[in-house]
Amino acid sequence: MRLPRPSSLNSLMLTGFALVSIPLLLGVVIAATKVRNLSEESATLVRSGVQTTHYTQQLFQQIAPIERSAKLYQVLNDPGLLDVYNDSRERLLATLESIETVAVDPEHGLQLRALRSSLRRIDAALLSPAPASPETVRDAVEAIAPMWQAAFALSAVTGEQVETGLSRLQQSTADTQKYLFWQSAVLILLTAMLVGVFTFLLMRPIRQIDLAISQLGKGTFSRPIAVRGPTDLVNLGRQLEWLRVRLLELAQERNRFLRHMSHELKTPLASIREGTELLMDGAVGELDSAQREVTTILRDNGIKLQQLIENLLEFSAWQARHSGLEISEFRLRPLIKSALETHQLTLLAQRVHLDLKVQDIELHADRAKLKLILDNLLSNALKYSPRGGTIFIHAKADKEQLVLDVADTGPGISKDERSAIFDAFYSGRAPVSGHLKGTGIGLSVVSEFVQAHGGSIEILDGMFPGAHFRVRLPLAPALENEPA
């Protein structure tokens, strides 16, 4: 089942923005919730601790007047002291109720019950309707000591609970920090993955379009154009494919026109050359020196014109026969050996030495086209190499590419010629030895076939004394896997 995809570039960008934003917003919400919980826990702890401590301090202030009034009553037996005791007792009971509303744990409850028990013993002696006996009053005074003990115990319990609460709060803070750290790490990783996915989904069709425009600009029309991605970019890819087909048709029409015109020109040109040869042979009488000079000019320019027409025919034939790639698997060394055998007689005649450093690489490419690349580079090297010179052929694998170097010891290629050296029918300056006649399309064919494989060719300086061509070809061209 195919997953639904955004139908346009805008929807893809909005979807990516939404999916990237959702984890970040979720992280912010979770972090805010955690911080709020910590804040509430901290506020509760502080409020409870402060209130309990305040009420405990009030206990000490209220037990003191109870003790003083009870002891004075024991000595003086003054009924007015009972009013003082009763007022202090009411305030103490209010404080105990306040503590019970704030602290409801068992430890506080135990001490509060002890305080109330001691207070009831005092009440039984001092607030009884019947006059209290000295023994009863003494028992009431003795009940004050447990009240102090309970108050001190209550204060200690409050302090311990505050310390425990602080420790728990610190642990909660540390746990929250750790949780937020790992959450941030996961969110950053997830966001990076989503950004990477949507960058790939966005950049892949753009790279395909860029590659397609580049190949059209270089005049390579043999590779179909297919763009995968949002609908609007796919439609743009279809338009580029239509443009490629149209340009290919125009190139084929141009080649047909060149072939037809070349054939049409060959017949009258042959008659002109034949008539010129008859004149030079004296078929219509002996020619004087001025007439022979004019006839020689006619003959030489006729030969040049015939060469140009043959170049046109040959170039059209190249493009007509080699518009596509026929991929096969083969090894490089036998191919180079076959190319060298084609030029063996010329190599021997010119006494040219070979410097071969070739790795036996396995290639997936068009064998015939690669052989033609080698033939043309060797022909160019032989054309400009001096007698007794050296031709260098080095080949190695560099990651997923074949790096092929072909160089000579000739005069090299000047800077001003390099911009046109790969143009069709450009012959460059005259060769050193003059033993080969170039058509001006050899390096143009090399460039076209290299680009058809998805490779590149460049002219380098410094490594060898003469011209140095470096060809880079993929060991397995992308055309096999995915049309660009």
Side-chain angles (χ1 to χ4, degrees), residues 73-74 121-128 130-143:
Y73 182 78
Q74 182 184 15
R121 288 175 58 187
I122 301 173
D123 290 344
L126 300 183
L127 299 181
S128 174
S133 63
E135 291 79 8
T136 303
V137 173
R138 185 173 60 252
D139 183 66
V141 172
E142 290 176 353

Side-chain angles (χ1 to χ4, degrees), residues 46-327:
V46 171
R47 183 171 58 252
S48 174
V50 169
Q51 289 179 347
T52 306
T53 303
H54 173 69
Y55 292 142
T56 304
Q57 295 298 323
Q58 285 183 345
L59 284 179
F60 291 110
Q61 297 173 3
Q62 292 158 1
I63 291 174
I66 289 175
E67 181 182 22
R68 184 169 55 253
S69 60
K71 288 182 177 180
L72 287 174
Y73 182 78
Q74 182 184 15
V75 174
L76 302 176
N77 197 22
D78 182 6
L81 294 173
L82 296 179
D83 295 333
V84 176
Y85 165 76
N86 195 38
D87 291 340
S88 301
R89 173 184 175 276
E90 293 297 329
R91 288 195 296 272
L92 178 63
L93 288 175
T95 301
L96 293 178
E97 291 177 359
S98 299
I99 294 176
E100 287 176 344
T101 60
V102 176
V104 294
D105 56 280
E107 291 293 331
H108 280 85
L110 179 63
Q111 304 306 325
L112 290 173
R113 285 193 296 272
L115 281 167
R116 288 183 181 276
S117 177
S118 298
L119 188 61
R120 282 194 295 271
R121 288 175 58 187
I122 301 173
D123 290 344
L126 300 183
L127 299 181
S128 174
S133 63
E135 291 79 8
T136 303
V137 173
R138 185 173 60 252
D139 183 66
V141 172
E142 290 176 353
I144 294 175
M147 290 183 69
W148 284 111
Q149 293 175 359
F152 282 115
L154 191 64
S155 177
V157 169
T158 300
E160 289 177 0
Q161 288 188 347
V162 170
E163 290 294 330
T164 303
L166 287 175
S167 299
R168 187 172 61 251
L169 182 62
Q170 289 177 347
Q171 184 62 41
S172 297
T173 303
D175 293 341
T176 301
Q177 288 177 341
K178 185 183 296 184
Y179 177 85
L180 293 179
F181 171 78
W182 286 111
Q183 173 189 279
S184 301
V186 172
L187 288 177
I188 290 173
L189 180 60
L190 179 60
T191 302
M193 291 174 60
L194 288 173
V195 170
V197 168
F198 280 93
T199 300
F200 171 76
L201 292 176
L202 183 62
M203 294 306 298
R204 183 179 66 170
I206 293 177
R207 284 196 301 268
Q208 291 173 341
I209 291 173
D210 180 70
L211 181 61
I213 294 174
S214 177
Q215 94 179 24
L216 292 179
K218 293 177 181 178
T220 303
F221 309 131
S222 58
R223 302 175 64 184
I225 298 172
V227 177
R228 296 186 178 90
T231 305
D232 44 6
L233 296 183
V234 171
N235 292 334
L236 179 58
R238 292 196 188 101
Q239 294 296 320
L240 290 174
E241 172 63 13
W242 173 85
L243 179 62
R244 182 194 70 85
V245 173
R246 182 57 182 156
L247 290 174
L248 181 61
E249 292 173 354
L250 291 175
Q252 292 172 347
E253 291 177 4
R254 179 198 62 191
N255 292 335
R256 283 195 295 271
F257 172 77
L258 289 176
R259 287 197 301 273
H260 294 163
M261 288 300 299
S262 300
H263 283 291
E264 292 296 327
L265 290 173
K266 283 184 69 176
T267 301
L269 180 61
S271 299
I272 293 173
R273 286 198 58 194
E274 183 178 353
T276 304
E277 294 293 339
L278 289 173
L279 287 174
M280 294 194 67
D281 291 341
V284 293
E286 290 295 329
L287 302 177
D288 57 27
S289 59
Q291 292 172 334
R292 183 169 296 277
E293 182 179 355
V294 173
T295 307
T296 302
I297 293 173
L298 289 173
R299 183 191 63 182
D300 293 342
N301 282 278
I303 293 174
K304 290 181 181 179
L305 182 57
Q306 183 176 3
Q307 184 65 47
L308 288 174
I309 293 173
E310 289 175 354
N311 288 349
L312 285 173
L313 287 172
E314 189 172 354
F315 181 72
S316 299
W318 279 115
Q319 293 200 331
R321 289 198 303 269
H322 304 285
S323 58
L325 292 179
E326 296 179 2
I327 303 297

Side-chain angles (χ1 to χ4, degrees), residues 422-441:
F422 296 109
D423 293 344
F425 310 117
Y426 182 81
S427 299
R429 56 186 169 186
V432 174
S433 57
H435 61 277
L436 290 174
K437 292 183 178 180
T439 63
I441 65 170

Side-chain angles (χ1 to χ4, degrees), residues 336 340 347 352-358 374 377-378 381-382 385 389-395 404-410 463-470:
I336 292 180
L340 290 173
L347 290 168
V352 173
H353 303 285
L354 291 175
D355 183 335
L356 298 177
K357 294 180 182 177
V358 179
L374 288 167
L377 291 177
L378 280 171
L382 284 168
S385 290
T390 303
I391 292 178
F392 304 87
I393 302 177
H394 297 173
L404 174 65
D405 293 300
V406 179
D408 56 54
T409 54
M463 294 180 62
F464 302 101
H468 176 196
F469 293 92
R470 171 166 289 179

Side-chain angles (χ1 to χ4, degrees), residues 417-470:
E417 284 188 303
R418 295 185 182 184
S419 60
I421 197 72
F422 296 109
D423 293 344
F425 310 117
Y426 182 81
S427 299
R429 56 186 169 186
V432 174
S433 57
H435 61 277
L436 290 174
K437 292 183 178 180
T439 63
I441 65 170
L443 292 179
S444 173
V445 170
V446 168
S447 177
E448 182 178 345
F449 288 174
V450 167
Q451 291 176 13
H453 281 83
S456 63
I457 182 170
E458 56 184 333
I459 304 170
L460 302 180
D461 294 314
M463 294 180 62
F464 302 101
H468 176 196
F469 293 92
R470 171 166 289 179

Side-chain angles (χ1 to χ4, degrees), residues 1-23:
M1 185 179 76
R2 187 172 182 179
L3 296 175
R5 293 184 177 181
S7 58
S8 67
L9 183 60
N10 287 336
S11 61
L12 177 63
M13 294 176 64
L14 291 175
T15 302
F17 178 77
L19 290 180
V20 169
S21 300
I22 287 173

